[in-house]
Amino acid sequence: METKAKERNIGFEVMRIVSMLLIILLHSIDHSGVYENLAAGSALYYIEHFFYAAVQVCVNCFVLISGYFLVTSEFKPKKLISLWFEVVFYSAAIKIILMLLGEIEFSVTSLASCFVPILTGRYWFITIYFGMYLLSPFFNIAINAMNKKQHRLLIIILFVLFSCMVSIHPSLKGMSSNGGWGLAWFTVLYFTAAYFRLHYEPSGKTFPAMAAFFVCPLFMIAALWVSNFSGSTMLKAIVENWFRYDSIFAVIASVALLIVFVNSKIKCGKGMKKILVSLSASTFAVYLIHAHANICTPEMWQRIGMVEFMSNWWYPLYQLAVVIMIFAACVIIDKARIALFKLIKLDKLAETMGNGISRLIGRFTAQ
């Protein structure tokens, strides 16, 4: 772990942690019933919409981090196999526990689907990530064939086609990146991250990018207030359409956050580095646990007062505290899972299977 911390800018570990915290915050708004229960024009209405605007970068940032490192990395089947083991474990284990507790009905079909989560799309992000990772070697061939100007022109065109066009009005579908939920959008982010990895020279300055990150959601909230005040249905539809992963403002804020962490020089001791790397290593697990289809439901969120406490002035602070506690609890659970996988040697099985697939690919692609 310490070696990885030295090889990478530790800022990327922090970025991954922050992105996952934002994902939990996103789910605490749109999976909990909070969004539907906001009183229009209230202080909480605008606070939650500011949160909602700011967290639109969460998924984008995860993909940007992946693209940033994958463009110079070797394709490793072991990584996909290890991820598949992890997804199956949490998908099945959580469902079995909930069945035993009587929270959900027993279903052989539902349980069986947990063992093919990539095919069933049980976790949409993991399914699309799998596709992106499989295509990454071919993306890299194309990227390495381009010079800097060609690469820059490509991402400008992709930005216009997949972000600018769909941000004008909800009736304009553009190239349809499915709101940022599809492989097309992940591809756009991959090529964008690759450009910054290969051609961007860090200046060490973080303030301009950090300012851009905050200005984007603030502008969205200001526009939302104007649309509510004016009563314009068309303006409100335009503004509400910006609350999506592939909107202009979400993209600008996401890239700004990437630039912040590319330029950041976080100084901390070896102990803190180990902690940050350890937390970062469990971020996928945090997603798999809290975003499980039978966990991330309005009923489950409301058990911890996400709607009940909305009338209190301290609710936003409570919400943020809940986000941190969920993250911490999921990390603790994942450390136990990691110990279990080592005990039953699943990591070695993944390596063996990965090596076998690598040899097969080598024979297939041999000249």
Side-chain angles (χ1 to χ4, degrees), residues 148-164:
K148 181 179 179 180
K149 289 184 177 180
Q150 292 169 333
H151 196 165
R152 183 170 60 238
L153 179 60
L154 173 64
I155 61 175
I156 290 173
I157 293 173
L158 292 175
F159 176 63
V160 171
L161 294 178
F162 288 94
S163 180
C164 295

Side-chain angles (χ1 to χ4, degrees), residues 73-140:
S73 300
E74 180 184 355
F75 177 78
K76 297 179 180 179
K78 175 192 171 184
K79 183 174 181 179
L80 287 182
I81 295 171
S82 296
L83 180 59
W84 185 81
F85 283 164
E86 187 177 348
V87 175
V88 169
F89 174 80
Y90 282 120
S91 182
I94 292 173
K95 187 170 286 291
I96 290 171
I97 291 172
L98 292 176
M99 286 179 177
L100 293 175
L101 293 175
E103 294 286 345
I104 58 176
E105 294 184 4
F106 178 80
S107 169
V108 174
T109 303
S110 179
L111 188 58
S113 68
C114 294
F115 293 89
V116 284
I118 308 304
L119 298 178
T120 61
R122 181 165 293 272
Y123 294 99
W124 76 268
F125 177 86
I126 302 299
T127 299
I128 304 302
Y129 181 86
F130 248 72
M132 184 188 75
Y133 192 87
L134 286 172
L135 291 173
S136 63
F138 304 98
F139 290 164
N140 293 345

Side-chain angles (χ1 to χ4, degrees), residues 282-332:
S282 289
T283 50
F284 258 133
V286 174
Y287 169 72
L288 295 174
I289 297 169
H290 95 275
H292 190 279
N294 297 117
I295 293 291
C296 198
T297 65
E299 294 75 20
M300 289 294 190
W301 280 104
Q302 289 169 26
R303 288 187 183 185
I304 54 177
M306 296 311 293
V307 173
E308 179 185 355
F309 299 148
M310 285 178 64
S311 60
N312 297 286
W313 67 266
W314 42 260
Y315 176 77
L317 297 176
Y318 173 78
Q319 185 179 22
L320 295 176
V322 166
V323 167
I324 293 171
M325 287 189 289
I326 289 174
F327 180 89
C330 292
V331 168
I332 292 171

Side-chain angles (χ1 to χ4, degrees), residues 67-74 140 190 197-198:
Y68 191 87
F69 289 104
L70 286 176
V71 71
T72 57
S73 300
E74 180 184 355
N140 293 345
Y190 189 100
R197 179 62 186 269
L198 299 176

Side-chain angles (χ1 to χ4, degrees), residues 24-281:
I24 302 173
L25 180 58
L26 169 66
H27 291 163
S28 77
I29 299 171
D30 67 1
H31 282 57
S32 62
V34 167
Y35 194 85
E36 293 77 8
N37 284 278
L38 290 171
S42 66
L44 184 61
Y45 174 88
Y46 287 107
I47 291 173
E48 291 298 315
H49 274 84
F50 173 77
F51 285 166
Y52 200 50
V55 301
Q56 295 304 315
V57 306
C58 58
V59 170
N60 291 347
C61 285
F62 258 106
V63 182
L64 287 171
I65 294 171
S66 297
Y68 191 87
F69 289 104
L70 286 176
V71 71
T72 57
S73 300
E74 180 184 355
F75 177 78
K76 297 179 180 179
K78 175 192 171 184
K79 183 174 181 179
L80 287 182
I81 295 171
S82 296
L83 180 59
W84 185 81
F85 283 164
E86 187 177 348
V87 175
V88 169
F89 174 80
Y90 282 120
S91 182
I94 292 173
K95 187 170 286 291
I96 290 171
I97 291 172
L98 292 176
M99 286 179 177
L100 293 175
L101 293 175
E103 294 286 345
I104 58 176
E105 294 184 4
F106 178 80
S107 169
V108 174
T109 303
S110 179
L111 188 58
S113 68
C114 294
F115 293 89
V116 284
I118 308 304
L119 298 178
T120 61
R122 181 165 293 272
Y123 294 99
W124 76 268
F125 177 86
I126 302 299
T127 299
I128 304 302
Y129 181 86
F130 248 72
M132 184 188 75
Y133 192 87
L134 286 172
L135 291 173
S136 63
F138 304 98
F139 290 164
N140 293 345
I141 292 173
I143 290 168
N144 290 325
M146 292 184 284
N147 59 38
K148 181 179 179 180
K149 289 184 177 180
Q150 292 169 333
H151 196 165
R152 183 170 60 238
L153 179 60
L154 173 64
I155 61 175
I156 290 173
I157 293 173
L158 292 175
F159 176 63
V160 171
L161 294 178
F162 288 94
S163 180
C164 295
M165 290 176 66
V166 299
S167 298
I168 297 172
H169 191 275
S171 63
L172 302 177
K173 303 302 180 183
M175 296 293 109
S176 185
S177 57
N178 196 28
W181 288 53
L183 183 56
W185 183 243
F186 277 40
T187 302
V188 174
L189 294 174
Y190 189 100
F191 277 84
T192 302
Y195 178 85
F196 280 92
R197 179 62 186 269
L198 299 176
H199 305 299
Y200 175 72
E201 292 292 335
S203 64
K205 297 179 180 179
T206 59
F207 179 78
M210 183 61 76
F213 170 73
F214 282 106
V215 165
C216 287
L218 285 172
F219 178 83
M220 291 168 67
I221 298 308
L224 181 64
W225 181 85
V226 171
S227 69
N228 288 333
F229 182 77
S230 67
S232 171
T233 303
M234 183 179 72
L235 180 58
K236 189 168 184 179
I238 291 173
V239 175
E240 289 181 345
N241 188 51
W242 294 340
F243 291 78
R244 46 190 285 169
Y245 302 145
D246 57 355
S247 77
I248 289 177
F249 301 103
V251 174
I252 293 174
S254 301
V255 172
L257 205 57
L258 175 67
I259 293 173
V260 167
F261 286 104
V262 167
N263 285 284
S264 63
K265 296 180 180 180
I266 299 176
K267 297 180 180 180
C268 56
K270 292 182 179 179
M272 181 55 68
K273 280 186 178 181
K274 288 183 178 180
I275 291 174
L276 291 174
V277 172
S278 179
L279 291 175
S280 176

